Amino acid sequence: MPAVDPTLIERIVRDDVRAMGAYHVADSHGLVKLDAMENPYGLPDDLRRELAARLADVALNRYPVPSSAALRASLRSVMKVPEGMDVLLGNGSDELISILSLAAAKPGAKVLAPVPGFVMYAMSAQFAGLEFVGVPLRADFTLDREAMLAAMAEHQPAIVYLAYPNNPTGNLFDEADMEAIVRAARGPASRSLVVVDEAYQPFAQHSWMPRLPEFDNLLVMRTVSKLGLAGIRLGYLAGPPAWLEQFDKVRPPYNVNVLTEATALFVLEHADVLDAQAEQLRAERATVAAALAALPGVTVYPSAANFLLVRVPDAAKMFERLLARKVLIKNVSKMHALLANCLRVTVSTPQENAQFLEAFAASLQD
C-alpha cells in the first residue's frame, strides 16, 4: 500500500478539520454501558416477531419514497404536532443540525447556543463555515437570560439553539427565559430562527411543541433515539412548512432508509410500549439520584432527561475506577470549565443501576 504524502493531505483538507479529533465512541464490549443515554429496554418478544415479519416484506431493492409521507403523517399524529405544522426527517438529529447549518451558511452568519451544551451545534456550524457563539450558563446551569439577549443583539445569529432539557446538564431551562429569547429573536435586534431541541422530551414531559403556532421563528427538533430506537437513526424537525420547504432543499435524497422507515412506522403503532418504558426510567432516575446524593462528596444535579450529571472530587480517577469495575459512563469534566469534575451517567434498568451504584460507592473509597 503506498504511503500518502502528508503535504497532499494538507493541500486538500481544511486546516481546521486536520486540527480536529474525530467524534469518539468508546468501546463498550463487556461493560455495563451507561455512557450514551440509550434506552436499555428492547421491544417485547411478540412485537419483535411482528416487526421481523414487517421488515421481511420491505423492498430492499428499491429506493425509499423520498417524501416519507406515511412516516411523517404518523409522527404528526402520535407526537401531537399542531395542525398546520409539518415535519422534516433526518438521519438522527445530527443530520438535521447539519441541514440547518448548511441552509443558513451565508457569509458571516453565526449560530448561538448556551454552553455547555450539545457539541454538534458547534461542530456542524464549523463544518458549514459558520461562526459559533457560546453563551455560558450560570454556575447552577440555569440559563443566563441577560447574557443570551446581549449576545443575540451583538452577534445577530442566524440560528439560536435551546436544548430542553439540556445535554449534558440534564436540566430544563426556565420557560419564561426561553420565551424572552424567542420573542427577542423576532425583533429588529436579532431576527433569528430559534430551534428548541427536545431530544429527551419523553423523560421531561414538558414541550414547546404545542406553542409552535405562536411564533413564526420557532422550530422543535426531536429524535426517536432516546425513546428506544437509537439504532435506526431517525430525527424530525417540526414547524411551519415555509421553513421546512427551504431546509428540505438541503436534505440529501433518500436520507431515511426503508428499514428505518418501516421500523419507525411499526413502533409508532405501539407508542404505548415506549411510553411505559420512559415511565420506568423516570422512576429509576429518582432512585439513582437519591442514592448518589446520599454518598459523601457527591453532588447530583436535577435532571429531566434519562441521565444524571454528578460532580465528584476527582472525575478522572472515578471514571477509571468505574471502568476497572466494568462500568462505562461519560467523563464530561473537560467539555467546559463549568463541568469541572463532572460525570454523566445514563439511567438504566434496576439491575444495571444497582451494579453502577455498587461500583460507584466502592470507587469513592479506593
Side-chain angles (χ1 to χ4, degrees), residues 42-53 266:
L43 293 174
D45 288 344
D46 58 335
L47 293 186
R48 292 172 66 184
R49 288 190 291 270
E50 287 184 47
L51 175 59
F266 174 81

Side-chain angles (χ1 to χ4, degrees), residues 144-313:
D144 190 333
R145 182 201 291 201
E146 292 73 20
M148 286 287 293
L149 295 177
M152 290 167 62
E154 177 184 355
H155 296 283
Q156 300 185 28
I159 300 172
V160 176
Y161 286 103
L162 294 171
Y164 190 73
N166 190 43
N167 171 24
T169 58
N171 57 313
L172 286 169
F173 295 140
D174 180 79
E175 188 169 352
D177 289 341
M178 292 179 62
E179 181 168 340
I181 290 167
V182 176
R183 292 191 182 281
R186 300 174 73 200
S190 181
R191 298 293 292 165
S192 305
L193 174 66
V194 179
V195 179
V196 177
D197 184 350
E198 295 189 346
Y200 302 93
Q201 187 275 332
F203 312 101
Q205 297 185 291
H206 294 271
S207 175
W208 277 73
M209 187 75 81
R211 302 196 64 180
L212 279 175
E214 296 180 41
F215 305 99
D216 63 356
N217 66 329
L218 177 66
L219 301 177
V220 171
M221 182 169 61
R222 291 184 183 174
T223 175
V224 300
S225 293
K226 314 309 175 186
L227 269 173
L229 300 173
I232 71 171
R233 305 303 298 133
L234 178 67
Y236 60 102
L237 189 66
W243 281 112
L244 302 186
E245 287 167 7
Q246 298 305 314
F247 299 133
D248 191 45
K249 298 172 185 178
V250 185
R251 179 181 60 87
Y254 313 119
N255 64 324
V256 177
N257 71 73
V258 291
L259 295 174
T260 289
E261 182 167 7
T263 302
L265 279 168
F266 174 81
V267 176
L268 287 170
E269 295 170 8
H270 305 279
D272 58 316
V273 174
L274 303 183
D275 291 341
Q277 292 175 354
E279 183 178 4
Q280 288 179 278
L281 291 171
R282 291 194 299 269
E284 282 297 305
R285 179 180 66 198
T287 299
V288 175
L292 288 171
L295 297 172
V298 176
T299 301
V300 183
Y301 292 93
S303 176
N306 64 337
F307 62 84
L308 294 166
L309 186 72
V310 182
R311 196 182 300 272
V312 295

Side-chain angles (χ1 to χ4, degrees), residues 28-34 40 284 287-288 291-292 295 318-319 321-329 345-364:
S28 60
H29 181 72
L31 305 176
V32 178
K33 190 176 188 303
L34 304 176
E284 282 297 305
T287 299
V288 175
L292 288 171
L295 297 172
M318 278 295 291
F319 176 83
R321 290 168 182 171
L322 285 166
L323 198 58
R325 290 179 166 89
K326 304 298 183 184
V327 175
L328 178 64
I329 61 171
V345 57
T346 304
V347 177
S348 188
T349 63
Q351 296 77 17
E352 289 194 340
N353 291 336
Q355 288 178 262
F356 160 71
L357 289 170
E358 181 180 359
F360 193 93
S363 297
L364 273 178

